[in-house]
Amino acid sequence: MTDTAAFLRPATLDEACELKAAHPDATPIAGGTDLMVGLNFGHTRPAALLDLTAVPELRAWRRTDDAVELGAGVPYARVVAELGDDLPGLARASRTVGSPQIRRRGTVGGNIGTSSPAGDALPSLLADRAVIEVRSVRGVRQVPAGEFFLGPGRNVLADDEIVVSVRLPRARGPQQFAKVGTRNAMVIAVASVAVSLDLTANAVACAVGSAAPTVVVPEPAETYAADHLDWSGRTPLHPEVAARFGELVAEGTSPIDDVRASADYRRHAVSVVARRLLGWAWAEAVRPRGTEGTR
Amino acid sequence: MRVGLEVDGKARTADDVEVGESLLFLLRERLGLPGSKNACEQGECGSCTVYLDDEAVCACLVAAGQADGRRVVTVAGLSGDDGLHPVQQAFLDAGAVQCGFCTPGLVVAVHDLLRRTPDPGDAEIREALAGNLCRCTGYEKIFDAVRAAAR
Ligand SMILES: Cc1cc2nc3c(=O)[nH]c(=O)nc-3n(C[C@H](O)[C@H](O)[C@H](O)COP(=O)(O)OP(=O)(O)OC[C@H]3O[C@@H](n4cnc5c(N)ncnc54)[C@H](O)[C@@H]3O)c2cc1C
Ligand code: FES
Ligand code: FES
């Protein structure tokens, strides 16, 4: 422990909640890959920091029958290394975050806390209908990812709450993620899309980042694709179905012009990426398991 | 606050560390260890890369307090009594150093790559070094250094 109240370093989840209740103005810090940039440049001056990296409960994940409970403090590098089979979509997204240095520190909980519509972990969470568990001394809340984010940088967390974990269903089919940016490494997405197929329920899930104030789920596109894929025969995806899916996904967004791209470009990029991802995911579903190559 | 940690094998303490201060600031300004460079302070360039316990991370993005009680190895800690580490020597031999600002971070990143992947292919090198920017060499010489150090 450190000797001042300003840098708080709980060793357990209970202690973290007690400290957050006693210091509601303390800013949680996990990997610091968002927070420290603001601190280094003097943009933010927190009254206190609540360091969550020594809380073991936050740094673990657990597999249940049909889900993975992923601790908020598990860094991307571990999602990539340990969860590629259970959560292929989130693992793919995690692989695109920043650089190796960033992936070793940055966490899914931090991505949730930052609540940027460009957060790369978020489309997978929304597509796969993840549930975010938040906790305070008052108790535990299970918040569906679709209800957690209110706008850029805004979410439903109260002053005394911290994010504990995310519960994601284990994949029941191929999952894809891709983002469009100006280069391969270290970019903030101009647009990002996650597509998951559920080969048990014959359902399609999709979410889009960086194309609205929060990550959005284009439900009409999901329903359209589910209705038009040949689930029993697994015949190849019809190009017209793929294209219409892309259009419907883009229609579900409300992008803006900004320094990274125009709204028109974003809408176009989203429809192209969504079309391709559905194609890749379906190709995996058609191919016998184990023969899929890397792309 | 006081922060106590091990840096390059020596126990160190720093007093009056401020709450939002980075590990990089602590190393350079409080402990007087300028090996790790400060070029961007936003995780983009990798010139501040150090080992925190067993992981190569950007020291500018670690809060100093988060390093309390932990072990840090900087580029300076990689060389032993018998001289430069092979990765360091390879950078010199290959001419992979021009202004040298990126070098300490690259050396740590390459050290980390080679301890996990002793004989990396070009794609692996590229991916491992994606978080380290060099504005001088054009990376060819850096790749030469990695291949030489791997031998
Ligand atoms: C060079 C660079 C490249 C990057 N590239 C990408 C990228 O490609 N894609 C991407 O999505 N992001 C990127 N980021 C942003 C960042 O790495 C991610 O958002 C990451 O997920 C943040 O996680 P963290 O643990 O480092 O968060 P921190 O910086 O520690 O925290 C971020 C926010 O979340 C809050 N918080 C953290 N944990 C909790 C918790 N358990 N409960 C409540 N609040 C919490 C903090 O208070 C803070 O507001 C990049 C950052 C850098 C510096
Ligand atoms: S100074 Fe830390 S990454 Fe550039
Ligand atoms: S040698 Fe100058 S930045 Fe790399």
Side-chain angles (χ1 to χ4, degrees):
Chain A
M1 283 298 293
T2 46
D3 54 358
T4 108
F7 194 90
L8 308 163
R9 212 175 184 201
T12 64
L13 190 51
D14 284 340
E15 199 191 334
C17 292
E18 280 157 26
L19 284 169
K20 191 72 178 101
H23 305 266
D25 56 353
T27 307
I29 179 167
T33 59
D34 274 318
L35 203 60
M36 288 305 294
V37 176
L39 295 181
N40 288 340
F41 286 84
H43 297 153
T44 29
R45 292 224 160 276
L49 288 180
L50 180 68
D51 177 20
L52 299 176
T53 54
V55 178
E57 293 98 320
L58 299 178
R59 299 189 65 85
W61 61 266
R62 204 163 68 83
R63 193 182 277 128
T64 64
D65 275 352
D66 57 358
V68 170
E69 272 168 36
L70 176 66
V74 176
Y76 295 111
R78 284 185 53 203
V79 175
V80 174
E82 300 165 23
L83 288 165
D85 288 335
D86 290 294
L87 308 174
L90 183 65
R92 277 208 156 99
S94 301
R95 256 199 98 182
T96 75
V97 172
S99 63
Q101 286 93 327
I102 300 299
R103 293 194 288 276
R104 286 181 199 120
R105 295 286 296 171
T107 65
V108 174
N111 215 233
I112 292 170
T114 295
S115 299
S116 159
D120 282 326
L122 307 187
S124 299
L125 302 193
L126 271 93
D128 296 326
R129 300 335 193 237
V131 175
I132 298 172
E133 182 172 308
V134 306
R135 203 166 131 165
S136 70
V137 289
R138 293 175 292 124
V140 176
R141 286 201 291 156
Q142 311 279 346
V143 186
E147 295 167 19
F148 187 90
F149 304 98
L150 302 176
R154 292 192 305 119
N155 58 47
V156 302
L157 275 188
D159 276 353
D160 61 347
E161 288 179 319
I162 57 174
V163 177
V164 176
S165 65
V166 195
R167 194 174 67 246
L168 286 129
R170 292 169 64 191
R172 293 198 289 185
Q175 300 187 338
Q176 290 285 346
F177 171 88
K179 70 183 187 192
V180 177
T182 43
R183 58 182 176 136
N184 239 329
M186 305 275 258
V187 288
I188 302 178
V190 159
S192 57
V193 184
V195 170
S196 298
L197 301 184
D198 183 334
L199 300 179
T200 310
N202 295 348
V204 176
C206 178
V208 186
S210 281
T214 60
V215 175
V216 292
V217 173
E219 283 179 20
E222 295 179 330
T223 312
Y224 171 83
D227 289 346
H228 287 82
L229 289 170
D230 174 18
W231 297 101
S232 48
R234 302 269 171 99
T235 49
L237 176 64
H238 198 290
E240 268 169 37
V241 171
R244 183 64 191 139
F245 173 73
E247 279 167 25
L248 286 170
V249 173
E251 278 171 26
T253 65
S254 49
I256 52 163
D257 293 317
D258 72 7
V259 289
R260 281 177 281 136
S262 69
D264 281 346
Y265 176 81
R266 282 201 160 91
R267 217 173 278 112
H268 177 67
V270 165
S271 86
V272 173
V273 171
R275 163 163 60 79
R276 284 191 195 149
L277 292 185
L278 184 64
W280 290 335
W282 189 250
E284 270 184 67
V286 169
R287 220 171 323 165
R289 250 193 97 74
T291 62
E292 61 268 334
T294 51
R295 37 155 253 287
Chain B
M1 66 173 155
R2 162 173 289 189
V3 173
L5 73 177
E6 184 190 305
V7 185
D8 295 338
K10 291 198 190 72
R12 302 273 194 163
T13 49
D15 284 309
D16 305 320
V17 173
E18 285 179 27
V19 182
E21 199 169 299
S22 72
L23 171 61
L24 181 62
F25 187 92
L26 177 121
L27 291 172
R28 292 179 56 86
E29 311 299 333
R30 300 216 183 260
L31 301 179
L33 301 170
S36 315
K37 298 302 171 207
N38 174 359
C40 77
E41 288 194 285
Q42 49 185 315
E44 296 277 350
C45 75
S47 56
C48 64
T49 303
V50 299
Y51 282 111
L52 178 62
D53 289 337
D54 221 21
E55 282 186 325
V57 303
C58 295
C60 71
L61 299 181
V62 176
Q66 293 183 302
D68 190 44
R70 302 184 64 179
R71 192 166 43 82
V72 171
V73 177
T74 74
V75 67
L78 295 181
S79 50
D81 296 336
D82 47 349
L84 292 180
H85 185 277
V87 174
Q88 296 169 321
Q89 191 63 48
F91 267 69
L92 284 183
D93 295 345
V97 182
Q98 287 188 30
C99 82
F101 224 79
C102 66
T103 313
L106 269 164
V107 166
V108 175
V110 171
H111 183 273
D112 181 51
L113 166 66
L114 295 181
R115 101 198 145 111
R116 285 178 292 107
T117 314
D119 188 18
D122 281 3
E124 284 164 314
I125 302 176
R126 204 168 294 122
E127 177 151 6
L129 303 186
N132 294 80
L133 300 184
C134 174
R135 56 189 177 171
C136 304
T137 66
Y139 301 102
E140 266 321 306
K141 304 280 185 196
I142 291 171
F143 270 58
D144 291 346
V146 180
R147 292 187 203 105
R151 272 198 293 272

